[in-house]
Amino acid sequence: MSKFSKVLGAALLFIVPTVGFAADLYEPPIIEAPPPQIIEPAPSFGGWYIRGDIDYHWSKLRGTEYITYGAGGGTDRFDTTKLKGAMSLGAGVGYQISRHLRTDLTADYWFKSDFDGTTSGTCGGGGACVSTDKSAYSALLLMANAYVDLGTYYRVTPYVGAGIGGAYVKWDDLTNSISGGGTVVHKGSSNWRFAYSLMAGASYCLTQNLNLDVGYRYTRLAGGRMFEYASGVAPGFDKGINVHEARAGLRYQFGPGNANCAPAPQVVSYEPPPFEPPVYK
């Protein structure tokens, strides 16, 4: 028993220092935690823009009336009225407030829309007579507008909007040609009128700063004076004009451009270098 104890003790004395020396040799690797992901900031909103537009518009009178004098005088109206379509040009300056809201001030010149009408009444001899009437109107429209952009999908941004302002309406001289008789010319009238508009359309990102805009606008003009007195008839009034416009134009935004047209933010991921175990000598 004594001999076995001596052998066991000698073995323990040999093993314990060896284990301790092996433990001293191993050190666990140091692994650094990767830094957080870096996200490139999206372009900020807010910026001035200018716009130019061209359109074709159709007009319709909401009614007419004129005053007649003499026997049986009173208020009368055209039997028929028709306004032809015409072109217009516009320009404006605006501000993109946020991703979904922008405003602008615009000026549009509507070129002449030809007017054709007919009237009927009693001629000088007491008999009935019919006349044909020709004129034209043009207008300068000044509007303050606001738009709601409904989100951008594949570079297309649909929108709705509304505007309020005024229009300077100019009527040309009215030529009244009586069947079997002569021609009477009534001097045309010009005046400022209240106006409001409703819009809908979509813009397409050509670049981050340039948008193609296509849309529809409905504008309602208040009534006003149409022509002056001549040959026992006057003045004449229209009761307002409804105008439908098909529009196309370009918007250029200054600075970094329209954020709706910016590319999506890029996520930059950190990739640590490959781990190499330490070498102990």
Side-chain angles (χ1 to χ4, degrees):
M1 189 68 181
S2 176
K3 184 178 179 180
F4 177 77
S5 298
K6 290 178 180 181
V7 173
L8 180 60
L12 290 174
L13 289 174
F14 176 77
I15 294 173
V16 171
T18 304
V19 174
F21 178 72
D24 291 339
L25 287 177
Y26 176 75
E27 293 183 4
I30 300 174
I31 301 176
E32 297 182 359
Q37 293 180 335
I38 301 174
I39 302 177
E40 294 181 357
S44 59
F45 287 92
W48 292 96
Y49 65 84
I50 56 175
R51 65 180 300 160
D53 300 281
I54 186 171
D55 77 38
Y56 192 83
H57 60 273
W58 299 265
S59 305
K60 184 176 182 180
L61 289 169
R62 299 177 54 234
T64 58
E65 64 181 15
Y66 55 87
I67 299 173
T68 59
Y69 300 90
T75 301
D76 208 341
R77 60 188 177 89
F78 287 90
D79 295 334
T80 63
T81 60
K82 182 179 180 181
L83 285 168
K84 295 181 180 179
M87 301 291 295
S88 72
L89 295 174
V93 57
Y95 191 80
Q96 183 84 37
I97 299 173
S98 68
R99 179 181 292 274
H100 298 290
L101 183 63
R102 56 187 169 89
T103 61
D104 60 31
L105 299 174
T106 56
D108 293 86
Y109 182 75
W110 293 345
F111 294 100
K112 290 183 180 181
S113 295
D114 292 333
F115 168 81
D116 292 311
T118 61
T119 56
S120 57
T122 302
C123 295
C129 58
V130 177
S131 68
T132 58
D133 304 271
K134 291 187 178 297
S135 182
Y137 92 93
S138 58
L140 174 64
L141 181 69
L142 303 177
M143 302 293 286
N145 311 289
Y147 310 87
V148 177
D149 292 328
L150 305 177
T152 302
Y153 313 92
Y154 301 101
R155 304 177 71 84
V156 177
T157 305
Y159 67 84
V160 294
I164 189 171
Y168 184 74
V169 177
K170 181 181 182 304
W171 280 99
D172 288 353
D173 293 347
L174 178 74
T175 301
N176 177 255
S177 300
I178 303 172
S179 58
T183 298
V184 177
V185 177
H186 298 265
K187 181 177 177 57
S189 296
S190 302
N191 43 71
W192 282 99
R193 308 183 183 191
F194 173 75
Y196 69 85
S197 297
L198 300 174
M199 294 87 76
S203 61
Y204 178 77
C205 302
L206 298 174
T207 69
Q208 191 167 325
N209 293 85
L210 187 63
N211 284 265
L212 172 65
D213 194 317
V214 178
Y216 162 81
R217 179 168 71 175
Y218 164 77
T219 302
R220 182 164 181 172
L221 306 182
R225 201 161 177 136
M226 187 175 176
F227 58 87
E228 305 298 334
Y229 176 85
S231 186
V233 177
F237 302 87
D238 66 75
K239 296 182 179 181
I241 307 173
N242 293 330
V243 184
H244 304 271
E245 300 175 72
R247 297 163 56 86
L250 296 173
R251 295 200 321 265
Y252 181 84
Q253 184 163 325
F254 297 97
N258 186 350
N260 286 331
C261 297
Q266 300 296 313
V267 178
V268 181
S269 300
Y270 173 78
E271 295 183 2
F275 170 74
E276 296 181 2
V279 177
Y280 298 95
K281 297 182 179 179

